Amino acid sequence: MDWKSLKFDWNRARAFLVTAEEGSLSAAARALGMSQPTLGRQVEALEQELNVALFQRVGRGLTLTPSGLELLVHVQKMGEAANHFSLTAFGQSQSIEGSISISASEVYAALLLPPIIKKLRDAEPAIKIEIVATHLTSDLRRREADIAIRNFRPTEPDLVAQKITDVPALLYATVDYLNSIGIPDCASDFSQAAFIDMSKGDDFLDLLNNRGFNLTKDNFPIVTENFLVLWEFVKQGLGVGILDGVIGDKEPKVKRAFPQLEPPTFPIWLVAHRELKTSRRIRTVFDLLEAELSKIYSTARPNAQN
């Protein structure tokens, strides 16, 4: 390879890539942890090095020029290669000391992980832990997290996963709320009930109606995509909500709203990038999470008919 023929700074190419992906200089600067003027100078310097206009201003935003669009394809490959290089190098580390990030839904992060993280801190105090609490799927290949707890099996070939178990999703409400609607004995008794929905679509409505309920959109007056918020609303007696049966059965403020319901089930998977699993630190945390989650779900598996 003729290295002398490379006439641009790779750091400036990264500035171009992140600006293109984030859509603005301000967002790119936040992503890279630098000031907006500094980032802007890097992009301008790259344009001068290449003698090509990469962006054009439209209002307050930036759009790629035709040349910028063509060059973006190549710089994206550079970014993927750099990320792969970083992952491979990180995966070779045998040091237990350092940071690790764990991605999980808000409800798992708040209600499932604390005792596990305490055990991890007691066993390995040199490990610093970041919890990424989100209902979105963290991209492990782009290092948005090192390990993730998910409710679906990953399909990416460069990820490794361990299935923990399948868990029933059960309906819960407070005793006072169930009394207020007449302590339902069958699905049709919920016709006047309020349900806390977890999406803006009809998935929850369809799920229940396919199991014998006769509900309309009027039965879903509250919507939140945050399961932790949903759970707090249920505990406050605002309606009926659905949650992981292991977590739900441990909450004394609520009870199963309809134990006769044949519940849907969902899997719990523990996921990491395959190269991160060669890291002693990642392996240590991954193994502890697997052991503790398996223990929780094997000893507290809910019986949907109780």
Side-chain angles (χ1 to χ4, degrees):
M1 182 173 180
D2 183 8
W3 294 104
K4 295 181 180 179
S5 66
L6 295 178
K7 301 298 184 181
F8 66 92
D9 186 312
W10 284 16
N11 286 325
R12 294 170 181 171
R14 183 186 68 161
F16 163 52
L17 171 61
V18 178
T19 301
E21 291 186 340
E22 295 293 332
S24 70
L25 289 172
S26 58
R30 288 193 298 271
L32 291 174
M34 63 174 62
S35 69
Q36 182 174 332
T38 298
L39 181 69
R41 286 193 294 270
Q42 288 189 353
V43 173
E44 290 176 3
L46 179 64
E47 290 179 319
Q48 292 174 4
E49 285 177 332
L50 301 177
N51 196 27
V52 170
L54 300 172
F55 295 100
Q56 59 185 1
R57 289 197 172 274
V58 178
R60 295 185 178 180
L62 295 175
T63 61
L64 288 163
T65 63
S67 296
L69 279 170
E70 184 174 350
L71 291 173
L72 179 62
V73 176
H74 301 289
V75 80
Q76 284 174 330
K77 293 179 181 178
M78 292 171 55
E80 291 171 0
N83 184 57
H84 190 74
F85 175 83
S86 177
L87 284 168
T88 302
F90 186 59
Q92 301 304 314
S93 172
Q94 295 304 303
S95 172
I96 198 69
E97 182 177 355
S99 300
I100 186 167
S101 57
I102 303 169
S103 174
S105 69
E106 296 94 340
V107 71
Y108 282 168
L111 304 180
L112 199 62
L113 283 182
I116 300 178
I117 299 304
K118 184 179 186 306
K119 287 188 176 182
L120 175 59
R121 290 288 300 143
D122 290 342
E124 302 292 348
I127 297 179
K128 297 181 179 179
I129 303 158
E130 176 190 2
I131 302 298
V132 182
T134 176
H135 69 282
L136 302 176
T137 300
S138 296
D139 191 339
L140 303 188
R141 296 174 301 170
R142 300 189 67 177
R143 297 293 298 277
E144 293 180 354
D146 298 317
I147 299 174
I149 301 173
R150 294 181 177 173
N151 294 128
F152 62 91
R153 182 174 187 171
T155 57
E156 299 90 337
D158 49 354
L159 298 183
V160 293
Q162 178 63 48
K163 185 175 181 180
I164 303 300
T165 189
D166 287 309
V167 181
L170 304 176
L171 296 177
Y172 294 94
T174 63
V175 173
D176 287 344
Y177 183 78
L178 293 175
N179 286 335
S180 74
I181 60 173
I183 308 182
D185 291 323
C186 60
S188 61
D189 290 342
F190 285 88
S191 60
Q192 301 302 313
F195 289 82
I196 316 298
D197 206 347
M198 77 292 291
S199 70
K200 295 180 181 179
D202 295 333
D203 293 348
F204 193 22
L205 170 66
D206 294 340
L207 183 151
L208 293 174
N209 282 346
N210 289 336
R211 284 166 168 75
F213 289 73
N214 185 23
L215 306 174
T216 69
K217 291 184 178 181
D218 291 338
N219 291 103
F220 298 83
I222 301 174
V223 179
T224 175
E225 293 183 347
N226 186 313
F227 271 90
L228 189 59
V229 173
L230 178 151
W231 193 229
E232 288 301 317
F233 284 179
V234 171
K235 291 193 295 182
Q236 292 296 322
L238 292 174
V240 181
I242 192 167
L243 200 73
D244 178 321
V246 167
I247 295 175
D249 282 355
K250 291 181 179 179
E251 174 52 59
K253 294 182 180 179
V254 303
K255 64 175 294 184
R256 297 186 187 186
F258 189 38
Q260 303 91 327
L261 175 70
E262 180 64 29
T265 60
F266 60 90
I268 296 179
W269 288 86
L270 196 60
V271 187
H273 194 284
R274 65 180 181 183
E275 291 171 349
L276 294 185
K277 288 202 64 183
T278 62
S279 161
R280 181 185 172 199
R281 179 165 64 253
I282 301 298
R283 167 64 72 177
T284 297
V285 177
F286 190 96
D287 288 349
L288 186 142
L289 284 169
E290 180 185 353
E292 293 301 319
L293 288 171
S294 297
K295 186 186 303 181
I296 289 171
Y297 282 96
S298 64
T299 58
R301 185 181 297 276
N303 182 339
Q305 299 303 317
N306 285 349

